[in-house]
Amino acid sequence: CSNLQSGMDDSEFVLNQSSINPYILNIEYAVRGPIVANAQRIQSELDAGIPKPFTELIWCNIGDCHAMGQKPISFLRQVVALIVDPSLIESDSHYPADVKQRARRILDNGGGLQYSSEMLGLPVIRQDCANYIQDRDGVPCNPDSVILSTGAGEMIKELLQVFARLQPSASTVNGLQYGVMIPIPQYPMYSASITQYNLQSVHYYLDESDNWSLDLSELRRAYDEAVGKCEPRVLVVINPGNPTGQVLRKEVIEDVVRFAKEKNLFILADEVYQHNVYAEGAKFYSFKRALHRLGPEFSTTVQLASLMSASKGYAGECGFRGGYCELLNPDARLQSLLYRQLANRGCPSVAGQAILDVIVNPPKPDEPSFAEHEREKSQVLGDLKLKAQMATETFNSIPGMRCNPVQGAMYAFPSIELPPKLIEEAKAKGMQPDAMYCTALLEEKGVCVVPGSGFGQRPGTYHFRMTILPPVEKLKNVMQIFKEFHESYVNRYK
């Protein structure tokens, strides 16, 4: 509109569609895609009093815990409050002693919000992250291998961008792009970033019949088919899974490590949901632990980046943007290029570093905040476990829907059977069938979910991703809506 009002054509601007990075034009990000844009329009109309078939729009499209009603963990917010306003440490007796101690420690080591930090993050917080990793895995961790970041997403992009830059001529080697192996379904930040940096996606399918597990023969198929079309260099694994909610077994992770060594692949381990494990018998097992369990042949040679985030787990602090990456066995060139690139960003969010520090260094049993912290943490994770079971059981009770157990993370990814007539109509409209289904769900029932086609899926199958984050009572309502909607909608096309 502004162009029309000014009388200028796009081509008259310096920055226009023909002058920008051409790879940006092909980026797609379903989690904030057209259905979400439609939901935002509907929300505005509801706010304006425009009648709809529902009175409330329920957002189930994104893993933002607090936006969905989860209460913040008191200890985390209290420490950050004192860092934001240090005068409260001495003047306000409301805060427990261990809260004040944590805040003083971060402030005394350069963690004031008025300062920038070192390029890789505050050393005291990198040390706390190293202690956390060591306690988690029973394996030594050098704080020099820990890089703090403004959320895990920042480090995903930084790492992929370094691989793009390692290619000497227009992102090619012997005429081939570098390839990044990503799971299907996948979190669309990966495919979007791969497109942005002119890399090549190499898809390997997760096994829906085995609770979305990862099969070594499928990795080999994907790799072998990619060779000659690109040069695979990076293997992305998301565990616990997004959007699929699985928790990989120890033996599967060790198989992946063996495969990465065999093919000389860099492992990018997205482990941001490591605190989100609910299913009986499921347990988080880190890639670093697998490296060391397999012995020096692997622990000293396989390159690994392990990612953690303050946005997930029981904290769910999306807005603070805190995360870390542990980088193992980087060669000198990779490390030099990565550090040069990170220097260009300035420093990671200091507030994000502070919130991450409290997550990796929570209250100890002999400290005054311990009991309340454990109660709040148990409440969050207990509710998530209940909601994971609720979603799994409800979807499996609806004819034409099937859902693997939500073992971890924050999402259900059920498959839906759609009649041929519906599929034909969607294609005639230029839509993916599951996108048409999700659009109808939004417009008729006010529930916003993301179609499986936005994450990738086997041809001929249809899914959607729904967060399990709404409060228990509201999620019960959502489950009832699905029971009513699915059968009614599908029957229109039979």
Side-chain angles (χ1 to χ4, degrees):
C1 291
S2 60
N3 290 358
L4 293 173
Q5 291 167 1
S6 66
M8 294 182 68
D9 184 83
D10 275 350
S11 61
E12 297 181 56
F13 290 100
V14 173
L15 183 62
N16 58 55
Q17 185 166 321
S18 63
S19 64
I20 65 172
N21 177 349
Y23 304 113
I24 293 176
L25 299 175
N26 297 320
I27 290 176
E28 295 182 2
Y29 188 62
V31 174
R32 300 185 188 272
I35 288 178
V36 179
N38 192 15
Q40 291 167 339
R41 175 188 60 79
I42 291 172
Q43 183 66 64
S44 297
E45 292 175 354
L46 278 172
D47 294 342
I50 297 174
K52 299 290 178 185
F54 44 86
T55 58
E56 177 189 17
L57 198 151
I58 304 175
W59 299 87
C60 297
N61 61 297
I62 197 165
D64 190 329
C65 304
H66 299 317
M68 301 300 294
Q70 179 179 309
K71 292 181 178 179
I73 301 295
S74 300
F75 184 76
L76 274 64
R77 289 293 181 92
Q78 289 170 344
V79 172
V80 173
L82 297 189
I83 291 172
V84 171
D85 186 358
S87 68
L88 295 174
I89 295 176
E90 304 302 333
S91 65
D92 195 325
S93 60
H94 167 74
Y95 294 98
D98 52 346
V99 169
K100 293 182 176 182
Q101 184 274 330
R102 291 291 199 290
R104 281 196 193 96
R105 181 169 174 267
I106 294 172
L107 289 165
D108 290 347
N109 285 276
L113 298 190
Q114 70 272 35
Y115 309 119
S116 58
S117 76
E118 287 87 342
M119 174 187 73
L120 301 181
L122 290 166
V124 65
I125 299 179
R126 294 169 69 202
Q127 179 64 64
D128 286 345
C129 290
N131 294 342
Y132 164 82
I133 295 167
Q134 186 165 314
D135 291 344
R136 182 194 70 191
D137 295 333
V139 175
C141 179
N142 185 342
D144 290 340
S145 69
V146 175
I147 302 168
L148 303 185
S149 59
T150 304
E154 180 195 42
M155 280 308 302
I156 291 169
K157 293 180 178 181
E158 297 284 0
L159 288 163
L160 291 176
Q161 192 170 0
V162 165
F163 274 92
R165 288 180 174 177
L166 279 172
Q167 301 169 69
S169 176
S171 298
T172 61
V173 171
N174 299 323
L176 298 177
Q177 293 171 295
Y178 276 180
V180 181
M181 300 185 69
I182 56 174
I184 298 296
Q186 53 99 27
Y187 179 47
M189 176 182 287
Y190 288 100
S191 55
S193 300
I194 288 166
T195 298
Q196 182 177 352
Y197 301 132
N198 192 25
L199 298 164
Q200 181 69 45
S201 291
V202 178
H203 295 167
Y204 65 88
Y205 289 101
L206 301 178
D207 186 356
E208 187 169 10
S209 67
D210 187 22
N211 200 30
W212 298 113
S213 189
L214 196 163
D215 183 71
L216 191 58
S217 63
E218 171 60 13
L219 278 182
R220 293 192 183 281
R221 178 208 62 78
Y223 181 93
D224 292 343
E225 289 185 9
V227 171
K229 301 173 185 175
C230 68
E231 188 175 346
R233 286 296 180 116
V234 182
L235 173 57
V236 174
V237 183
I238 308 173
N239 180 50
N242 177 8
T244 41
Q246 85 282 6
V247 179
L248 294 179
R249 301 183 295 273
K250 177 178 72 173
E251 58 270 21
V252 171
I253 292 171
E254 291 178 355
D255 279 345
V256 172
V257 171
R258 293 186 185 97
F259 176 79
K261 179 172 175 58
E262 175 190 336
K263 302 300 185 183
N264 194 26
L265 296 170
F266 181 98
I267 300 174
L268 201 166
D270 185 333
E271 299 178 320
V272 301
Y273 295 99
Q274 57 193 259
H275 290 137
N276 299 102
V277 178
Y278 321 116
E280 201 69 36
K283 187 176 181 180
F284 173 73
Y285 185 74
S286 74
F287 272 84
K288 180 179 181 180
R289 190 174 178 188
L291 286 182
H292 283 265
R293 178 180 164 83
L294 292 172
E297 178 188 358
F298 295 86
S299 63
T300 61
T301 61
V302 175
Q303 293 184 312
L304 167 71
S306 168
L307 301 167
M308 166 71 168
S309 173
S311 301
K312 308 305 176 185
Y314 59 89
E317 294 287 5
C318 292
F320 280 98
R321 310 307 305 148
Y324 76 67
C325 168
E326 185 185 16
L327 189 63
L328 297 179
N329 300 320
D331 70 340
R333 189 179 183 199
L334 170 63
Q335 190 160 1
S336 172
L337 283 174
L338 180 60
Y339 285 7
R340 187 187 309 171
Q341 184 171 302
L342 292 173
N344 192 46
R345 72 176 177 176
C347 76
S349 161
V350 178
Q353 293 183 57
I355 204 82
L356 179 69
D357 186 72
V358 187
I359 292 169
V360 299
N361 184 25
K364 304 297 188 291
D366 60 346
E367 293 181 320
S369 297
F370 178 79
E372 182 182 20
H373 181 271
E374 289 302 294
R375 181 188 61 77
E376 293 178 346
K377 175 181 174 182
S378 297
Q379 181 70 53
V380 169
L381 294 176
D383 282 353
L384 286 169
K385 180 177 181 178
L386 174 62
K387 291 184 284 189
Q389 294 168 342
M390 185 192 307
T392 303
E393 291 170 3
T394 302
F395 286 135
N396 284 322
S397 73
I398 300 173
M401 298 183 72
R402 187 175 66 83
C403 185
N404 280 318
V406 180
Q407 295 180 305
M410 299 174 173
Y411 316 99
F413 197 69
S415 65
I416 48 177
E417 295 177 13
L418 300 178
K421 186 178 177 183
L422 187 156
I423 295 170
E424 290 168 12
E425 181 177 317
K427 291 180 178 178
K429 292 179 176 179
M431 297 179 70
Q432 291 289 344
D434 49 13
M436 192 169 88
Y437 177 97
C438 294
T439 300
L441 175 68
L442 170 64
E443 294 179 346
E444 297 179 21
K445 297 294 185 180
V447 175
C448 182
V449 298
V450 186
S453 50
F455 301 90
Q457 53 198 350
R458 283 190 181 274
T461 67
Y462 304 103
H463 303 79
F464 60 84
R465 189 192 80 165
M466 186 195 80
T467 68
I468 60 169
L469 293 175
V472 172
E473 290 305 314
K474 184 172 285 190
L475 189 64
K476 287 180 181 177
N477 181 37
V478 172
M479 293 294 99
Q480 185 59 38
I481 288 172
F482 271 109
K483 283 184 174 182
E484 298 168 359
F485 172 79
H486 181 78
E487 185 175 4
S488 170
Y489 184 68
V490 167
N491 281 343
R492 299 175 204 174
Y493 295 91
K494 286 187 177 177

